[in-house]
Structure formats: structure tokens, C-alpha cells
Amino acid sequence: MTKKTTIKDIADKLEVSPSSVSRALTNEPGVSDDLRERVFDAASRLNYIPNSSAKSLKTSRSKTVGLIVSDIRNPFFLDFMSGVERVLFPREYKFIVCNTGEDRKKEEIYIKWLIGQGVEGILSSPYQDGSNENNALLYRRAMKNNIPVVFYDRLLKEIKVIDSVTLDNRQAIMNGVMYLRECGHERIGICLHRRGIYTIEERYAGFLKACEILRIEVIEDWIIDDATDPVEASKRLKMILGRAHRPTALISTNQYINELLLRVARELKLSVPGELSLMGFDDLSLNDLVDPPITTIRQPVSDMGKIAATLLMGRIDGDSVDRSTVVLKAELLKRESVSVLSGP
Amino acid sequence: MTKKTTIKDIADKLEVSPSSVSRALTNEPGVSDDLRERVFDAASRLNYIPNSSAKSLKTSRSKTVGLIVSDIRNPFFLDFMSGVERVLFPREYKFIVCNTGEDRKKEEIYIKWLIGQGVEGILSSPYQDGSNENNALLYRRAMKNNIPVVFYDRLLKEIKVIDSVTLDNRQAIMNGVMYLRECGHERIGICLHRRGIYTIEERYAGFLKACEILRIEVIEDWIIDDATDPVEASKRLKMILGRAHRPTALISTNQYINELLLRVARELKLSVPGELSLMGFDDLSLNDLVDPPITTIRQPVSDMGKIAATLLMGRIDGDSVDRSTVVLKAELLKRESVSVLSGP
DNA sequence: TTGTAAGCGTTATCAA
DNA sequence: TTGATAACGCTTACAA
């Protein structure tokens, strides 16, 4: 095991002072070209790698941001992260991924750790459960400590000072319901992933609103309000679909549910869309290779990532514009899992 | 903007020395229960968050590891990361995700940055292109600096001292080819994602080996050796499949290719598996909802993550056992995209 | 049990 | 243009 090279090693080797080496390395003015060159040369020969702990301790700038994700297994984050990375990397910012797994405590641990790490900003999809428990306090504290936060995908309603990028979830579902209505569907159910989560609540609200406008009767029983346990959710779904009076169309609220719905339909040997229409949420490229290709509400996820990262970079650069709340539009990909009903 | 609370603030408030506060906070012995309690109390009232830069500068332990991934958009990493996270989080280790996007230069930048960050270990799926360019030197340097490295998914052949977890890629493809042979297929093509990549080369070698053993003729023309550009690859595939003498079965080497193959078959209106059999690689849960459900070679990805992380933790704890090279077995999920050919 | 002081690797201020 | 020195926030001998 060799010791790591430090500025001091370079200084000793060149018989100059550490401060000159530092100046040379950071491209500060006030170093002769000759010395600068010799420093760079020695640095590369000695395999010098700057110690970011020391650097960030001294300058309190770490070129690092935190990315808090609610569930890393959700394909959503693949696209989101790649959007984020595309804006961060060219600016030499790195990001630390923190997976909270929808656990408030974990989120808390991570926020504190990120602040302690000296990140210059935080991108977060915050957690909030049915009982309104959340980490608003911690996000406020980060802001107070001059660490800008940008929320993406989800909001914390009580915080009115944090930039955000979200989807127009209500409108997205409303468009979906309207499309179903156009296709003749009046018996519509919805499968919510989990109550309390911002996006899910918004999507649910959009559903209710659309039903109201279109005078579609909302059947309590056709609303699955928790699909975190797929086995339980399947059971309920099967019960609902097993009855004579059953929905002709089901709306999903994320990619997990898309699959769940499809599987249940298969198990029940219900033909899709013949006997049951399905509308998905979140598009995976496989969704149109599925049997049948699923009509899906698609979010511009990668754009969301780029915008969130861009907002954050702006704040780090000291933009003092008003709070930005970007709301993106969803797109309805009409494929074949929704049937056109002829008569009533 | 408020200033962050430091140990010194707590010390001042309590009128004790910073060292006592430090001892209390880190649960070191030699502090009275009374003082410890008061310290914790003050820390929480002052919203104290330890500064990890200072801590890691001093102790050179950061409780952080680096995770280098070759392409963050590959669903593989979802499962892999969640496996990693499951072993790291309980041990209070965090991980920094570095996406190299199959770019040697980016990988280099990240490795250096990780070392500079003071990570205690690195999990990496290293890049190596056709011309054998890679960052072996840097990984060696990390090891020399006492930063253990564990390779997963891919290896660098010239490095014989680094722990690894990989799939038995050759056997995986060999089993696939054997299965095709059992089903009566003798005209088999393969679509490689990109030459030079360790896993792809291994899978290709497995293919050749199986063909040799089973006396299957290898038709050069039926080997797509670069599918990084899907448009180009589609064209070639269409040419091959458009001819009278064409393969009856095609093997894929990752999830991207699975989709590509399926799409091409659709465009050509070739029925699968009637006119063309398809064997996928890497399983996505959607693969069995696709039309037709795809027979797929599945890797135990999440296990790979757990094992890689466990090996790394072991090294960090100072295990000085010999190099571990864990090789995992793939599983062949027989679904419906492979037909059984009756006669010749 | 508590305090003092040095030092981790940098950068920034000031003086030479 | 260069060098000495202090400081960032923390830990850790060692002394009290």
C-alpha cells in the first residue's frame, strides 16, 4: 500500500511551497507559467489526485448534489437519472443517489447525510404518507443552510418556497378518462398504487374530477386504493372482475400496476380489450410489444430530469428569481388495450 | 441563511471542550453519562449535522463506496443497485453512482474523483473496448491506495488480483443453444450488442463453442456484431431475414436486443415463433406479458449486487483471504418464443 | 472524566 | 511571483 500523493509531496519534490502548488493546480493567477507547467508535470508523474474532503472542507463547495429517489427499482428513475446526468456531467457535477424506498426515516437519514457531505444542492421526490408525515422541516433546514432543493415528481404542499418539476397529473388522468368515455366506457375503475403519495393523490383527484364532469358514476368498490401488496390487490381485482356488474375499463397509476392489471386479466382469462379495457400509466418501451399493446399515459421523464437539474444548477449559480414550478404535460399513447364500445 | 452548527458550537454552549463533545457524539468511552446526555440534547436542539468532509479528512473513513455502472439506462442496474443497497444501508454505507455510458474517459474521470472523494471501496463493471483500451492502471492504483475494488458483471482480464462476481456467460449461451437444438433448430443466428465488451465476448464464445460441440454450422452473415445503432442493426437483420436461406432462430445478448429482435420480426410480419424463434437475454418482468412471451436467459442480478457488495464490505473490514471470483449460473426461462421444429 | 493541542489536505490572506 | 501561516471541522494522543 502506497500513500496518496498530496500537494505537499509535489511541493517538496519541486522545492516550492504548497501554496504555489495549489495556485498552479487550481489555475489561479499569480504563478509563473514555468512553475505551473512543472507543477502539472510533477502532479501527473506522482499520480496526484486532489483530496475532495479537504477541498470541500476548506471551500465548502463540493461539486456534488444529492438525488433522493423514492424507489430505485422503478424504471422511472432510469430515465430521470439519465436526464439529470446529462446536465450535471458537463458541468463537472457529480450526484449521489439516495434510495428511500418510501421510508420517511430513511429519507431523513439521507438528507442529513447529504447535508453533512456538503452537497451543493438536493434533487428530491419527497415522501409523504397518508398521515401527512414528511420531512418538510429538513428540506427547510437545507434551504436555510444555503443548500437549494428542487422537488421533482412529487411536492410537499406545505412548502411554498422550493422549485419543482412535476407532471400535470390531474389533467393526465382526466384526458385518459375522457378518451375512455369517447370510446364508450362508462364503467371505469382505477387502481391506485398507494394513498398519500402526491402523484397518486393527484391522479385520483383527476379521476374523480373527470367522472364528475362526464357524469360517470364513481363506484367505491372499483377503486383499489392500495396495491403495494400485489397479492392482496390481485385478490380484490379478481373479486371485482368476477361479478356480473363489473367495470369495462380499468385505469392504472404506474408501471407496476400496468403489469398487475395485465396479469390479473390473463389469470381470469378475460380478453383485453374485448372484455376489459386497460389504460396504463408510465411507458416502458416494452409496453407496445405486450399483448395487446397497452394504451398508456406517458410522462416526459427524461425532460423532467433535465429540467430539475437545470433549475438546481441555476440556484447553485445564485439565481435569485422567484420560485419556479414547472408543470409538464403527459401524452396519451393510443394503442390497442382499449376497445370501442358500440351500444350501451 | 444560517450557519451550520459545528462541534465547537455545542462545546461553547455547554461550556466544555470540543473533544469531549466529539467523544460523546461518537460514542467513545471516557465521557460521563451526564455529559453525553447533555451533548446529545444540545446537538439535537442545535440541529447539529456532522461534517463528513472534516470527519473523513481526519479519519480517512467515509462510509461511502463508489458504484461504477456502464449504462444507467439498462434495467440490469435497477436490480443490481437494489441488491447492493440492501447490504450497504444496514451497515450505514452510502454509495455514489457513476454512470460511464461505455466511455473510457468518463470512467477514468469518475475513478479519480471517487478516489479523491475518499471512498472506502469501489464496485465496478469496467469498460474495455475492442482495442483493449481500459482503465486497469487506475484500478490498480486504487488497490494500491488501499481502496478495495470488486468487479461485477465484467472483468478486466489483465487484472488477477481483484475480486469479482460474474455470470457464467458461456454456459448460459451454451445452454440456450442446446435448448434450441433440442427443439430442432440448426440454423441459428446471434445478435451481439457490441464487440469488445467482456460479457458480450463471453456470450459469443459460448455460442461458437456450442455450435462446435453440436456441429451446428456457424454462418458469419448471421452474426450481427454491433447493435449499438438500432437502425443499422435492424437493416442488417431485415436483410438476413429477407433471404430464402435464413436462420430459424435468433439469440439475443441483452434486453435492448430482445426488443430490437421482436420489433424487426413484427415489421417483417414474421410470426414468432412460427416462422422465427427468439431467445432473449436478461429478464424484465414484462418479458412474459409480451406477445409471444419470450424465452429468456435470466441472470440473478439482484444476487449479483448483494454478493458484490458483501465481498466489498469484507475487504473494507480487512478480510485478507485470497481473491474471490464468484461465478453465478443463469437460468433458462422457457416460454413461448421458441418453436419445436418437426422435420428438417 | 475532561481539556489541550496537533494535524488530516486544502485554500486564502498577508507579507516578502 | 512566491512563501508563511491560519483556518475549515473533526479526531486523538497525551496531559491534567
Side-chain angles (χ1 to χ4, degrees), chain B residues 194-213:
Chain B
R194 181 181 191 159
R195 293 303 299 264
I197 302 290
Y198 175 80
T199 44
I200 301 296
E201 289 298 325
E202 288 291 303
R203 288 166 203 175
Y204 182 39
F207 174 74
L208 295 179
K209 184 80 180 287
C211 288
E212 188 193 323
I213 295 174

Side-chain angles (χ1 to χ4, degrees), chain B residues 13 37 80 86 91 165 175 199 206 208 232 234 254 278 287 293 300 313:
Chain B
K13 176 118 184 173
E37 196 173 319
F80 186 82
R86 220 164 309 157
R91 309 190 46 159
V165 198
N175 289 151
T199 44
L208 295 179
E232 271 308 306
S234 294
N254 72 20
L278 254 32
N287 276 7
M313 288 294 104

Side-chain angles (χ1 to χ4, degrees), chain A residues 7 19 22 48 51 54-55 58:
Chain A
I7 278 194
S19 25
S22 168
Y48 171 69
N51 180 321
K55 193 168 200 154
K58 184 67 197 176

Side-chain angles (χ1 to χ4, degrees), chain B residues 113-314:
Chain B
W113 181 75
L114 286 173
I115 297 176
Q117 275 287 318
V119 295
E120 293 184 50
I122 295 177
L123 250 27
S124 177
S125 181
Y127 176 74
Q128 166 157 76
D129 72 6
S131 65
N132 250 20
E133 279 201 310
N134 65 54
N135 285 309
L137 206 71
L138 282 171
Y139 288 112
R140 285 221 186 78
R141 193 186 307 164
M143 295 289 279
K144 266 197 204 131
N145 282 329
N146 208 24
I147 300 175
V149 176
V150 172
F151 286 149
Y152 66 89
D153 191 47
R154 322 214 286 214
L155 296 179
L156 251 28
K157 276 172 226 123
E158 60 260 68
I159 299 192
K160 301 260 181 271
V161 294
I162 287 185
D163 294 332
S164 64
V165 198
T166 51
L167 187 79
D168 188 342
N169 287 288
R170 292 187 193 223
Q171 194 60 52
I173 290 285
M174 286 177 69
N175 289 151
V177 176
M178 282 181 198
Y179 174 68
L180 287 176
R181 186 71 187 71
E182 280 166 28
C183 294
H185 294 273
E186 293 185 324
R187 285 149 55 183
I188 305 176
I190 188 165
C191 189
L192 310 173
H193 187 223
R194 181 181 191 159
R195 293 303 299 264
I197 302 290
Y198 175 80
T199 44
I200 301 296
E201 289 298 325
E202 288 291 303
R203 288 166 203 175
Y204 182 39
F207 174 74
L208 295 179
K209 184 80 180 287
C211 288
E212 188 193 323
I213 295 174
L214 301 171
R215 294 169 195 276
I216 291 173
E217 190 188 357
V218 176
I219 316 272
E220 282 293 334
D221 202 38
W222 296 352
I223 298 165
I224 310 283
D225 63 359
D226 189 349
T228 38
D229 178 351
V231 179
E232 271 308 306
S234 294
K235 268 191 206 154
R236 273 211 53 197
L237 242 9
K238 283 176 194 168
M239 254 178 46
I240 295 167
L241 295 171
R243 291 202 264 269
H245 186 68
R246 57 173 185 77
T248 59
L250 245 29
I251 299 180
S252 153
T253 50
N254 72 20
Q255 179 64 33
Y256 296 134
I257 315 287
N258 299 348
E259 296 188 28
L260 185 76
L261 258 31
L262 219 39
R263 272 177 219 287
V264 167
R266 295 261 168 115
E267 283 183 47
L268 257 32
K269 295 200 169 35
L270 281 175
S271 88
V272 177
E275 298 168 276
L276 178 68
S277 290
L278 254 32
M279 173 169 287
F281 204 104
D282 282 342
D283 198 43
L284 229 56
S285 53
L286 269 178
N287 276 7
D288 86 307
L289 293 169
V290 154
D291 176 29
I294 314 180
T295 292
T296 307
I297 296 169
R298 181 188 172 275
Q299 320 190 41
V301 181
S302 165
D303 288 346
M304 199 182 276
K306 280 192 231 164
I307 293 169
T310 307
L311 285 177
L312 190 65
M313 288 294 104

Side-chain angles (χ1 to χ4, degrees), chain A residues 157-204:
Chain A
K157 275 172 227 125
E158 60 260 68
I159 299 193
K160 301 261 180 267
V161 294
I162 288 185
D163 294 333
S164 64
V165 197
T166 51
L167 187 79
D168 188 343
N169 287 289
R170 291 187 195 222
Q171 193 61 49
I173 290 285
M174 285 177 69
N175 290 152
V177 176
M178 282 178 197
Y179 173 68
L180 288 176
R181 187 69 188 69
E182 281 165 27
C183 294
H185 294 273
E186 292 186 324
R187 284 151 54 184
I188 306 175
I190 188 166
C191 189
L192 310 173
H193 187 224
R194 183 181 187 158
R195 292 304 298 265
I197 303 290
Y198 175 79
T199 45
I200 302 297
E201 289 298 324
E202 289 291 303
R203 289 167 202 173
Y204 183 39

